Amino acid sequence: MPEILVQYEAEIWQSIGETFIMVGVSIIAAILVGLPVGTLLYLCRKGQLYENHFIFSILNLLVNVTRSFPFLLLVVFLLPFTRMVIGTAMGTAAATVPLSIIAIAHYSRLVEQSLLDVPRGVMEAAVSMGASVREIILKFLYVEARSGLVLGLTTSIISFISYSTIMGVVGGGGIGDFAIRYGYQQFKDDLMMYMIIIMVILVQLIQFTGTTVSRMIDKR
Amino acid sequence: MIILHNVSKNFGQFKAVKSVSLSVHNGEIHGIIGASGAGKSTLLRIMNLLEIPEAGDVEINGKTLTKMRGKDLRQARKSIGMIFQHFNLVANKTVYENVAVSLKLARFPRRQRKGRVMECLQFVGLERFQDKYPAQLSGGQKQRVAIARALANNPQVLLCDEPTSSLDPNTTAEILGVLENVNKSLGVTIVIVSHEMDVIRSICNRVTVMADGEVYDTVSIEPKGIHILDNNPKSFVEQLTKDGDVGHA
C-alpha cells in the first residue's frame, strides 16, 4: 500500500465511516419517506386512480422547491431546522438532516416516474378484483414497478454520495471532505487522487449491484 | 341478474353512455356490440363500477352497487370477475401467483389456496404453466390465465371487455370455447363486449346493439357455435374461396 495511505489510514477509515453514515441515513429516509411521497404523487396525479389536485399540487411544489435549491444553499437554509432537530448544526449527525431532505425529494420523483410505467390496465384489474388501496400498492403497483424502483434507488444513492461530499462545510466529514482538506488544501495531490479512486470504486460497486438486482427481478 | 337503470356516463363534454337501461338474465351469455365509441366498453365497466356513472343505478343479484362505497363495493366486486382485451396480468408474478392474488384479496383460506389455484388452472388447461411468467406465454394463454384469475373466487358474473380483440382467429375460437365452458359447466353469467360480429354470433344468447351511447335494440339469437379453422394455409384458402365463383389470381 502507498505510504501516504498508511500514514493517514485512521483518518481515511473514519471518513469512509462518516460517508457511510450520511449516505446510509439518506437511503433510509428515501425509502421510509421518499417512497410513500412518490407513491402519493403518482396516485394523486391527474388521470390516476386517486386523482387529487390539492395533494398533488402541494407535494409537487415541495419536491420541486427542495430540488431547485443549490444543495449548499439548502444546507445553510436548513441550519436552524437542523439545530432544532439534532440540537447542533455541526457534525456528521447534523449533516444527515439536509441530506435526508434532499434524498426524500430526489427519490420520490424517481419513484413517481417508475410507477408511471406500470400499465394502467394492471391497476384496473386490481380494482376489478376488489383490492383496497393498500393492496393495490403492495400487491400490484410495487410488484410491477420493482425493477424501476431499484434502479431509481441506485441512481439516488449515487447522488447522495455526491451530495455528502460537500458536507464538510458543516463539519460532516466524509471522504469528499477528507480529500479536500488533506489532499487539496495541503497539496497532497496523490492523496486526493486515491480518495477519488475510492469514490469511483464505490460508485461502480453500487451501480453494478443495482443494475444486477433490477435485472434479476424484472420478469416483464 | 344485472340491471342497469338509466345509467349515464360523461367524459368531459363527451356523453359516452346516455341514460341506458338494460337487464342481463342469470345464466345467459349476453353480447354488447357496436361501433368504436358507441359506449359499449364504458357500459360494461359501469357494471362493476370501474366507471362510476353520473346518474342511474347498477344492480347485481339484488344488490345495488351504485349505493355502495369502500369496503362493501370491494366485497361486491370479488363476486364479479372481469377480463380485458390486453389481459392485464401482473408481469412480475408467475401464472400461479397471478391467480393466487385474487384469492388472497378475497381472504380465501390459505391452506386451500393452492388446490383452488390448480383447479382454476386445470379448468383453462394451463396447470403445467404455473411457474411461467406472462412474458413466456402466447396471447391466448395469457387470456386463459386471466380467465382462471377471474374465476378463482367463484363469481356469479364474468365481464369480458373485448376479450378476443388482440387474438388471431383460431385463438379467438379457443378463448370463446373456454368462455362457453365457463357459462355451461359453471353456470356463470357472461357479458361480452366486442366489435366483432362473428364473436358475438358464435356464443351469445342475447345481444344488445349500441350506437352513440344508447341502446339501439336488444335481440335474442340462437348462438351459431364456435367455428375452429384448421391452422394450415390450405384451409384458409378453402375458407376464402368456398363460395365458388372466386378463382386464383
Side-chain angles (χ1 to χ4, degrees):
Chain A
M1 213 197 311
E3 201 189 321
I4 195 151
L5 289 187
V6 178
Q7 189 189 340
Y8 286 104
E9 198 183 337
E11 288 91 337
I12 291 172
W13 278 118
Q14 195 197 337
S15 68
I16 291 178
E18 286 159 354
T19 293
F20 269 73
I21 290 173
M22 290 188 288
V23 174
V25 172
S26 308
I27 295 172
I28 292 169
I31 294 173
L32 290 186
V33 187
L35 182 62
V37 169
T39 309
L40 218 57
L41 271 170
Y42 165 80
L43 288 172
C44 296
R45 202 175 228 270
K46 190 170 166 58
Q48 294 300 333
L49 230 42
Y50 298 94
E51 186 176 329
N52 186 318
H53 186 67
F54 181 71
I55 296 179
F56 178 82
S57 307
I58 288 183
L59 288 179
N60 196 39
L61 186 72
L62 276 175
V63 168
N64 278 346
V65 168
T66 310
R67 298 196 61 198
S68 315
F69 272 89
F71 185 56
L72 193 53
L73 281 185
L74 183 71
V75 174
V76 177
F77 177 78
L78 285 173
L79 283 175
F81 177 71
T82 304
R83 203 171 286 125
M84 204 176 78
V85 178
I86 305 285
T88 167
M90 291 291 147
T92 308
T96 61
V97 173
L99 278 171
S100 296
I101 287 176
I102 194 70
I104 291 165
H106 195 272
Y107 189 51
S108 64
R109 200 50 103 189
L110 295 183
V111 167
E112 183 197 17
Q113 278 167 22
S114 311
L115 298 182
L116 282 169
D117 283 341
V118 175
R120 213 186 139 68
V122 173
M123 305 288 283
E124 285 187 344
V127 174
S128 81
M129 285 189 266
S132 64
V133 184
R134 191 189 136 89
E135 288 165 334
I136 291 173
I137 295 170
L138 296 179
K139 290 189 187 341
F140 294 85
L141 203 51
Y142 288 172
V143 174
E144 212 60 340
R146 64 192 184 189
S147 60
L149 293 174
V150 168
L151 275 186
L153 188 62
T154 309
T155 306
S156 285
I157 293 172
I158 291 169
S159 296
F160 303 164
I161 294 176
S162 172
Y163 287 131
S164 79
T165 55
I166 67 155
M167 294 317 290
V169 291
V170 291
I175 309 174
D177 180 50
F178 178 83
I180 297 273
R181 283 193 296 127
Y182 289 76
Y184 178 67
Q185 287 169 353
Q186 297 182 20
F187 306 107
K188 296 190 177 77
D189 287 356
D190 51 346
L191 189 59
M192 190 168 75
M193 281 312 294
Y194 287 126
M195 292 304 106
I196 292 170
I197 290 169
I198 291 178
M199 300 284 272
V200 170
I201 293 172
L202 194 61
V203 169
Q204 291 286 346
L205 274 177
I206 291 168
Q207 187 63 56
F208 175 76
T209 311
T211 312
T212 310
V213 170
S214 123
R215 198 176 297 144
M216 260 165 44
I217 60 177
D218 189 3
K219 308 290 182 187
R220 290 175 297 173
Chain B
M1 192 145 106
I2 306 171
I3 301 170
L4 300 182
H5 189 68
N6 290 333
V7 291
S8 297
K9 176 74 191 177
N10 307 325
F11 296 109
Q13 294 294 314
F14 180 66
K15 295 188 164 77
V17 171
K18 304 171 192 165
S19 192
V20 166
S21 297
L22 177 73
S23 53
V24 175
H25 305 319
N26 275 344
E28 73 177 350
I29 302 185
H30 193 113
I32 301 177
I33 194 164
S36 297
K40 52 192 190 305
S41 273
T42 308
L43 192 68
L44 185 82
R45 292 157 58 85
I46 284 175
M47 291 182 184
N48 64 354
L49 258 59
L50 221 46
E51 302 291 353
I52 296 169
E54 271 98 39
D57 280 320
V58 178
E59 190 186 313
I60 294 193
N61 292 322
K63 286 181 282 188
T64 307
L65 258 56
T66 29
K67 293 213 175 94
M68 293 180 175
R69 288 283 173 272
K71 200 165 182 228
D72 292 337
L73 178 59
R74 292 202 301 273
Q75 196 57 40
R77 277 176 174 149
K78 284 167 192 167
S79 57
I80 308 168
M82 188 169 193
I83 61 171
F84 306 84
Q85 178 176 359
H86 299 295
F87 326 120
N88 297 349
L89 299 175
V90 181
N92 278 331
K93 286 186 196 284
T94 61
V95 165
Y96 180 93
E97 291 164 343
N98 264 289
V99 179
V101 74
S102 132
L103 294 172
K104 282 185 199 165
L105 296 178
R107 312 275 178 271
F108 193 87
R110 186 187 295 267
R111 299 168 71 186
Q112 295 157 37
R113 212 180 277 158
K114 180 150 201 244
R116 181 64 190 150
V117 173
M118 293 315 291
E119 207 170 58
C120 295
L121 288 177
Q122 255 156 28
F123 186 86
V124 297
L126 284 182
E127 64 277 14
R128 297 219 315 279
F129 291 74
Q130 57 163 316
D131 294 325
K132 296 258 191 262
Y133 286 92
Q136 300 167 288
L137 305 179
S138 69
Q141 289 168 334
K142 284 182 206 170
Q143 196 60 294
R144 284 162 186 263
V145 176
I147 294 173
R149 176 174 74 175
L151 291 179
N153 289 315
N154 290 310
Q156 297 151 308
V157 178
L158 180 61
L159 306 177
C160 311
D161 191 2
E162 300 274 6
T164 60
S165 298
S166 50
L167 303 174
D168 66 53
N170 281 324
T171 316
T172 294
E174 258 174 56
I175 293 300
L176 292 178
V178 176
L179 291 178
E180 195 171 44
N181 196 17
V182 168
N183 175 258
K184 296 273 179 314
S185 60
L186 305 178
V188 176
T189 306
I190 293 182
V191 185
I192 177 166
V193 162
S194 180
H195 63 270
E196 296 167 293
M197 191 51 90
D198 279 349
V199 166
I200 296 294
R201 289 195 64 182
S202 56
I203 61 168
C204 295
N205 316 107
R206 281 209 311 150
V207 182
T208 295
V209 180
M210 286 192 78
D212 294 327
E214 290 173 336
V215 169
Y216 178 78
D217 201 358
T218 297
V219 293
S220 292
I221 61 168
E222 190 58 45
K224 77 174 170 122
I226 299 156
H227 192 72
I228 300 180
L229 292 173
D230 271 337
N231 214 353
N232 71 58
K234 195 173 161 221
S235 80
F236 278 36
V237 174
E238 273 166 16
Q239 281 287 322
L240 287 166
T241 57
K242 75 177 170 192
D243 289 335
D245 46 22
V246 188
H248 290 274

